[in-house]
Every structure is written in C-alpha cells, then in structure tokens.
Amino acid sequence: MDDGELQERLRGMEERLERVEDHLTIQRLINSWGPAVDTGNSEAAAALFAEDGVLESDLSYLIGPAAVAAMVLGEGHQALIRDGSAHVPATPVIRIEGDTATATGYTRVYRHTPDGYEVWRVSANRWEFRRTAQGWRVTRRTTQVVDGGPKAAEILTKAIEP
C-alpha cells in the first residue's frame, strides 16, 4: 500500500468515525429527554433545543428553550412528576445528512399508580436536529399519541421511507 492509498483509507475511517460519533450524540440527546423531564430539570430539557427549536404535540406547541423549560416547570408536568413518571424512548431510526439529522421512533410514558406502574402514553416521535456551534441541537420534535389515527402513522412512516 503506498502513501496515497493509506491517506485515502485514513480519510475514509475518519469520516465513518465522525458519522458514528454523530449517531451516538443524537441518541444521547434523545435519551437525555426522559431523565431531564422526569426530574424536573428544566434547564437540561431546554438545553436540548436550538434557539428556534419547536416542540409540537397533540398536547402543546412550544417554540424555543424558554418555552420548553416553562412546560417542565408547569403544574401539569409537575403533577406527572409527583405521581412518578418515566419517559422511555425506544431506539429510533436515525438518519444523518451532513449537518442535519432526523430520528423517528416511539416513546412510552409510564406513571406510578397505587397498583404499580401503568403506561400513561405511547407516542410516535420525529426528532429533527441541526449541528450548531454548541453541537447537535433539536430543531423540531413532533410527537403524536398512538391512538389508531393517521397522525402517528404519518410520523412512523418516515422511519421506513427509503
């Protein structure tokens, strides 16, 4: 193998390693949501989002980290935390294209009851990310309850599109 071939192989390995690192970073961001919101850490939840990031669901429409933080500190969410909640994501399908990425999958929210735990909510999620000067950030998260209607199916279809 000559020096040119070696340099080409090294460049290829560096590119693959960067894609793997990006993939793991995005997975970590998604997995950070649950511990942040289940402990009421509004700053950690807000820090996942870009300044223009949107959190859209059948429950709310929030724009920016401050709105996300306010939701976490709001009475509805605080009541869920007091009951004992666990936001648990399934492993999403992640696609990275340059400095943008998407992740599509499910989240279950468990709530503690006097009889144990119950699944309070199952939702389909579409996360969109952008690489910023501060690293990867959420630019949009769309979440819809899985209730047999078309909205959740529309989100989940994006995971299997070519």
Side-chain angles (χ1 to χ4, degrees):
M1 178 179 314
D2 66 25
D3 192 44
E5 291 172 323
L6 180 60
Q7 291 300 320
E8 187 176 322
R9 284 187 74 186
L10 284 174
R11 274 191 300 278
M13 289 172 62
E14 287 174 344
E15 289 170 3
R16 288 193 307 275
L17 179 58
E18 183 179 314
R19 284 194 303 270
V20 170
E21 289 174 338
D22 288 343
H23 189 96
L24 290 172
T25 298
I26 289 166
Q27 184 70 56
R28 183 178 181 278
L29 288 173
I30 293 168
N31 288 340
S32 297
W33 176 255
V37 299
D38 290 328
T39 61
N41 189 330
S42 61
E43 290 178 14
L48 300 174
F49 285 80
E51 284 303 313
D52 59 348
V54 173
L55 175 56
E56 176 185 2
S57 76
D58 49 295
L59 301 173
S60 61
Y61 188 91
L62 309 172
I63 301 173
V68 171
M71 180 275 298
V72 172
L73 296 174
E75 181 51 36
H77 190 78
Q78 290 296 308
L80 187 61
I81 292 171
R82 284 191 300 273
D83 284 347
S85 64
H87 290 69
V88 181
T91 304
V93 175
I94 298 173
R95 290 196 174 102
I96 300 170
E97 294 184 23
D99 291 336
T100 63
T102 60
T104 307
Y106 295 95
T107 300
R108 292 167 312 282
V109 180
Y110 297 92
R111 190 179 72 169
H112 186 260
T113 70
D115 297 325
Y117 288 90
E118 67 180 20
V119 178
W120 177 69
R121 179 180 174 86
V122 176
S123 59
N125 295 269
R126 173 76 167 188
W127 299 78
E128 298 174 24
F129 300 89
R130 178 178 64 236
R131 189 189 319 264
T132 71
Q134 296 75 38
W136 287 98
R137 293 293 181 267
V138 178
T139 56
R140 183 177 206 88
R141 179 182 177 203
T142 305
T143 180
Q144 289 291 321
V145 67
V146 176
D147 61 1
K151 291 182 179 181
E154 192 175 297
I155 290 171
L156 293 171
T157 298
K158 294 177 182 179
I160 55 177
E161 290 175 346

